[in-house]
Amino acid sequence: MSNHIQPVRGRAMRQARRCLLTGLLMAAAAWAGDAVAATNTLKGISYDTLPGGKVELHMNFAGGPPPQPRIFTTGNPPRIAVDFADTANAAPRHLDIGKGSTSGVSAVSAGGRTRVVVELMRDASYATRVDGNDLVMTVNNGTAAQTTTTAATVDPTKALPSAMNGPSVSSIDFRRGPNGEGRVLIGFSGAGADADMHREGGKLIVNLNHVKLPAEQAQRLDVLDFATPVQSITTRAGMGGGAHMEIDFKGNVETSSYQTADQYVVEVAPKKDAVADGKLAKGQPQAYSGTRVTFNFQDIPVRAALQFIAEMSKKNLVVADSVGGSVTLRLVNVPWDQALDVILRAKGLDKRSDGNVIWIAPQQELANYEQNLAEARLKAEDTAELVTDYVPISYGKAADIAKLLTSGSKGGAGGSGGSGSRGFLSPRGSVSYDERTNTLLLNETPDKVRELRELIGVLDRPVQQVLIESRIVVATDDFTRELGVKWGVQALHTTSGGNVITTAPQGGANGAGSMAIERGNNNSGAPNATNVTTYQTGAGGFNVNLPAANPMGSFGLAILGANYLVDLELSAAQTEGRGEVISSPRVITANQQEAVIRQGQQIGYVTYQNSATGSAGSGTATVQFKDAVLELRVTPTITADSRVYLKINVKKDALAKFIDAPGSGQVPQIDTREINTSVLVDNGQTVVLGGIYEITKANTISKVPGLGDIPGLGALFRKTVKNNNKAELLIFVTPRILSETLQ
């Protein structure tokens, strides 16, 4: 086995030497090209520490004053990159700092250009100035309100312009990148603009100093249609001059920016998924994507095996001194990252990644390091200086947000002392509020103030509003038909004894006639007849009296003979009616806030109390009212997928009639239609909440018993009434989420 190992190890060493020689030759050729094209040289980089955790970097140039730099920043990881055109690099490649928010500085050169990268532990603002042959950059310990750039040199040509004589913002444009990222392009009329970007909650704040903002560029751009994380761009004049831009975005994003002489570009890209970032969901197997390698070693030192993996992967590996021992490997065609995990598990090691650098150490050593780092961070928070900050609240109430920030704290809103949970505050922090100006007052460490500002920026947002439109439709269809008949017979007969028997109508009460049988002498019809007996037999002078109640038309027939008279009258009526009542209440309300809209009348009526006789008007009169209104009561809730959940109550009352109440006059009778429900509706969708459909059919027959049932002839002895009524109630509702431009 040892004879087999040595040739393999020898070939690997020879291959490594050839790669190293090739790399040196390429570096020498690139250096030669740079030396020919460069007109200046970065000689060295040094730094000084300043109070408050600031770091002052000095970039010294050997060929004269520094060239005009091109500076841009990235958010993940946080970096400040400074490009110098036509410049060679003679400074060390990397300088460790580890002070404040500055981790280190790297300098590389290629193609006649030198790039200096300031590596940050967290987002931080900076300021630059020119001092002789040095470009001095001051890196703050965290993000300040804005980045300033000054020039401290006796040469007036090196002084940067002020806002009065600086360039103007010539254009503000937006474009979508090939991978769905949003790019905000800010054009300037010339050089000299100073731009700074920092993040506050769901917004990117860009401060443009030493520029003039024309009135036509102070506007709000809605870029939702581009399908990027960027939602809108709002630009306005800065309070101290220059311009202030707010970029609203949605989701988990990565941000970066860079600047040229006449343009500043901000890029907002969707963050890569968890698998691409090396983070796996619970239960998800590890995915390996490295270049496949084959290892067959017997008792090879662990450090040598890690060196082979570093050469194959072209990654920077840092191995702790405590890593040792040997390992036997036989891996055929496996990804290099899987091979690395196999070695680490076999020897009880672990890794931590930082960019393209992998740190390998025993698991306990890494755990102790992270624990010590966490304890140092907590100790730094305990000893950090407290600062006071004021946060104006725009859309909410400062008292409510103060209570939320201190939820769980025994001190309560206002940040008073107490042990136990402190909510979102540190053990020494406090928060209070001013109701008059709606402002929060924070007394916290600088890092905690920044976290609280981001949290408040998420909470203090305008509440979305919803327009709810409702339609209540009441449709009626009435049909009534009546058929009636009335007829009578009158006759006169003289007996052998000279008596006259007659059936004739007589005047009755209220002018109504009556059928009578009269018996008397020869002149029975005379007014002064004697011995006349009258028998009342019926009303109206008819044998059958079944007319239509309200006839729209009638037909009469009379047959007159020598001793008899037959009268016949047919009557009929038909009524048809159709009606529609459409009510359309609409109301606008904020998300999760109840809204009520009512329209109608109050119906007054009089009641009597303490009545002695029990009749209306004899007691104490009291005027009371009943509502007959159309009412819409709704509470909307906007869901995460832009739908609307409605808790809704719709009521429509109407006066039907007044009814008599014994001893109390008349009271109104109210027709009530109401629906109370909850429903989930898409934005802009119309849904039918409910409906009531009523059909009333009635056939009424009034007839003479027995005779009214005779086929054909029975129609003369009966009256028919037919009713067919239909009523329909439908309630529609349509919610619409109002966009921010309409609020």
Side-chain angles (χ1 to χ4, degrees), residues 609-653:
Q609 298 176 349
N610 302 323
S611 175
T613 63
S615 61
S618 62
T620 302
T622 303
V623 178
Q624 297 185 7
F625 294 90
K626 277 193 175 182
D627 291 337
V629 298
L630 168 65
E631 180 181 271
L632 172 64
R633 186 184 299 268
V634 60
T635 302
T637 300
I638 301 176
T639 63
D641 55 353
S642 296
R643 295 197 287 176
V644 183
Y645 178 80
L646 295 175
K647 184 179 180 182
I648 189 168
N649 177 269
V650 182
K651 181 168 63 174
K652 179 177 175 58
D653 297 341

Side-chain angles (χ1 to χ4, degrees), residues 5-6 9 13 295 297-309 319 323-329 343 347 349:
I5 295 174
Q6 294 299 332
R9 186 178 299 173
M13 292 301 181
F295 289 150
F297 296 133
Q298 180 73 26
D299 292 333
I300 185 175
V302 173
R303 303 178 72 89
L306 295 176
Q307 179 65 28
F308 279 119
I309 292 179
V319 182
V323 175
S326 301
V327 65
T328 298
L329 294 176
I343 296 174
K347 304 303 294 183
L349 305 175

Side-chain angles (χ1 to χ4, degrees), residues 148-378:
T148 57
T149 304
T150 60
T153 176
V154 297
D155 187 357
T157 61
K158 294 294 182 181
L160 295 175
S162 65
M164 296 301 296
N165 55 15
S168 299
V169 177
S170 59
S171 64
I172 299 176
D173 197 4
F174 183 83
R175 296 178 184 174
R176 186 181 189 275
N179 297 319
E181 66 272 16
R183 293 174 181 168
V184 183
L185 292 81
I186 308 172
F188 305 109
S189 60
D194 178 25
D196 166 62
M197 179 187 72
H198 63 277
R199 188 167 174 173
E200 290 184 3
K203 295 182 179 180
L204 287 178
I205 307 300
V206 180
N207 291 308
L208 303 173
N209 304 309
H210 310 298
V211 300
K212 292 177 288 188
L213 181 67
E216 63 270 14
Q217 298 298 340
Q219 58 182 336
R220 183 182 186 275
L221 302 178
D222 189 344
V223 294
L224 281 172
D225 295 339
F226 286 86
T228 70
V230 181
Q231 307 294 297
S232 63
I233 305 165
T234 305
T235 309
R236 62 176 183 270
M239 298 182 62
H244 178 84
M245 176 180 289
E246 294 183 0
I247 303 173
D248 289 332
F249 62 86
K250 186 177 181 181
N252 198 4
V253 300
E254 296 176 341
T255 61
S256 62
S257 65
Y258 62 88
Q259 182 176 2
T260 61
D262 58 353
Q263 191 180 56
Y264 184 73
V265 180
V266 178
E267 184 172 293
V268 182
K271 194 170 184 179
K272 299 177 182 178
D273 55 16
V275 176
D277 290 344
K279 302 175 183 178
L280 299 174
K282 185 177 180 180
Q284 184 177 354
Q286 175 70 45
Y288 298 103
S289 58
T291 305
R292 294 186 175 272
V293 297
T294 298
F295 289 150
N296 189 1
F297 296 133
Q298 180 73 26
D299 292 333
I300 185 175
V302 173
R303 303 178 72 89
L306 295 176
Q307 179 65 28
F308 279 119
I309 292 179
E311 293 177 358
M312 294 294 182
S313 63
K314 296 181 174 56
K315 294 285 185 178
N316 298 318
L317 261 65
V318 178
V319 182
D321 294 339
S322 54
V323 175
S326 301
V327 65
T328 298
L329 294 176
R330 188 181 185 280
L331 302 174
V332 179
N333 197 27
V334 298
W336 68 264
D337 45 357
Q338 184 179 4
L340 177 60
D341 284 349
V342 169
I343 296 174
L344 297 182
R345 285 197 298 267
K347 304 303 294 183
L349 305 175
D350 205 348
K351 64 182 177 180
R352 297 292 184 271
S353 299
D354 184 8
N356 64 343
V357 178
I358 301 175
W359 177 28
I360 297 176
Q363 295 177 355
Q364 188 61 42
E365 184 176 334
L366 287 176
N368 293 337
Y369 168 77
E370 292 174 345
Q371 182 178 359
N372 294 336
L373 192 63
E375 292 175 353
R377 186 181 300 110
L378 293 176

Side-chain angles (χ1 to χ4, degrees), residues 569-646:
E569 180 179 319
L570 301 177
S571 59
Q574 180 170 317
T575 304
E576 296 182 10
R578 291 182 176 87
E580 274 190 5
V581 179
I582 300 177
S583 306
S584 182
R586 61 180 63 187
V587 64
I588 296 177
T589 183
N591 186 27
Q592 297 184 341
Q593 296 295 320
E594 184 184 56
V596 179
I597 184 171
R598 292 162 53 99
Q599 185 268 334
Q601 60 181 343
Q602 286 188 324
I603 301 170
Y605 60 98
V606 180
T607 59
Y608 298 91
Q609 298 176 349
N610 302 323
S611 175
T613 63
S615 61
S618 62
T620 302
T622 303
V623 178
Q624 297 185 7
F625 294 90
K626 277 193 175 182
D627 291 337
V629 298
L630 168 65
E631 180 181 271
L632 172 64
R633 186 184 299 268
V634 60
T635 302
T637 300
I638 301 176
T639 63
D641 55 353
S642 296
R643 295 197 287 176
V644 183
Y645 178 80
L646 295 175

